[in-house]
Amino acid sequence: MLPWIVRRTRLPLLSWRCLDCPSKSATTGKGRFRANANGKLLDVWLLVRCVSCDRTSKLPVHERATVRSIDPALLDGYHANDPKLVAATLLDPLFLRRHGLALDWHGAWELDALPVGLDEAWPWQVAVDFEDPVPVRPDRLIAQGLGCSRSEVPRRIKSDISLRRPRTLGFTFIAMARGSAG
Ligand SMILES: [Zn+2]
């Protein structure tokens, strides 16, 4: 099995309608939270910034939560702007759904496909693994990994998965040498 790995190279942008300018994109930048305690109640926001005009907005992560209900380690992470916690918050499907947000992964991920020796016998058995939940169309991914056109992909590979439907779950396929498939 040849391992191919999909991983993010940075955090994705957010689809975001700016209130001050026509931009439709926001970034978390380096990633910052803001926490505000009011008595025993706590609000935590993730800060996002318009990529065009820098207007900052706050996305609620916790609203009026009792301080005791939040894991102290988590609370420390919010105060320290822990990059892992920023990523986990931004990539949380529930968080995105709650705010009606979509992620823009364009240019934010890479395919790590180790170069294969020329003597590697065809057909190749490839296992694609997702280190981060980057939704990619398998045919695009495979075309990139094999260095061929997308239209060539269905002729060159065997797999049970839908090639056109973006997915974030690992899969395997068998690839034939160029020109050898019928
Ligand atoms: Zn703006």
Side-chain angles (χ1 to χ4, degrees):
M1 277 284 186
L2 299 171
W4 285 10
I5 297 164
V6 176
R7 62 166 66 96
R8 65 184 173 85
T9 51
R10 59 167 170 79
L11 286 173
L13 298 178
L14 281 164
S15 60
W16 181 261
R17 202 172 288 269
C18 183
L19 294 176
D20 283 353
C21 83
S23 168
K24 288 184 180 141
S25 200
T27 174
T28 48
K30 285 179 183 161
R32 271 175 58 215
F33 293 104
R34 183 168 298 163
N36 183 32
N38 189 344
K40 286 178 181 163
L41 296 178
L42 182 78
D43 288 300
V44 179
W45 299 273
L46 178 65
L47 303 187
V48 300
R49 189 162 44 79
C50 170
V51 296
S52 177
C53 74
D54 273 354
R55 179 197 166 98
T56 301
S57 305
K58 300 188 295 184
L59 294 176
V61 181
H62 296 283
E63 292 177 280
R64 316 245 97 207
T66 53
V67 175
R68 281 202 342 222
S69 71
I70 299 179
D71 179 350
L74 201 58
L75 211 48
D76 287 346
Y78 291 130
H79 285 300
N81 299 314
D82 177 1
K84 278 188 190 150
L85 191 53
V86 171
T89 303
L90 183 65
L91 303 184
D92 178 1
L94 289 175
F95 175 77
L96 294 170
R97 200 175 314 148
R98 186 149 55 93
H99 295 297
L101 297 168
L103 298 175
D104 172 7
W105 282 99
H106 190 80
W109 63 278
E110 65 182 5
L111 171 64
D112 186 357
L114 290 177
V116 174
L118 287 175
D119 53 350
E120 184 78 32
W122 297 90
W124 294 353
Q125 295 206 38
V126 181
V128 181
D129 194 27
F130 286 73
E131 238 178 57
D132 296 284
V134 185
V136 284
R137 277 175 54 156
D139 58 351
R140 287 195 181 159
L141 192 76
I142 294 168
Q144 186 180 330
L146 292 181
C148 69
S149 69
R150 218 157 69 213
S151 58
E152 212 182 314
V153 170
R155 295 198 302 272
R156 285 194 53 193
I157 73 139
K158 290 198 170 107
S159 185
D160 296 334
I161 59 156
S162 160
L163 286 174
R164 290 169 165 232
R165 191 173 309 146
R167 61 185 288 139
T168 56
L169 289 175
F171 61 95
T172 60
F173 65 92
I174 295 171
M176 322 297 157
R178 179 170 272 137
S180 74

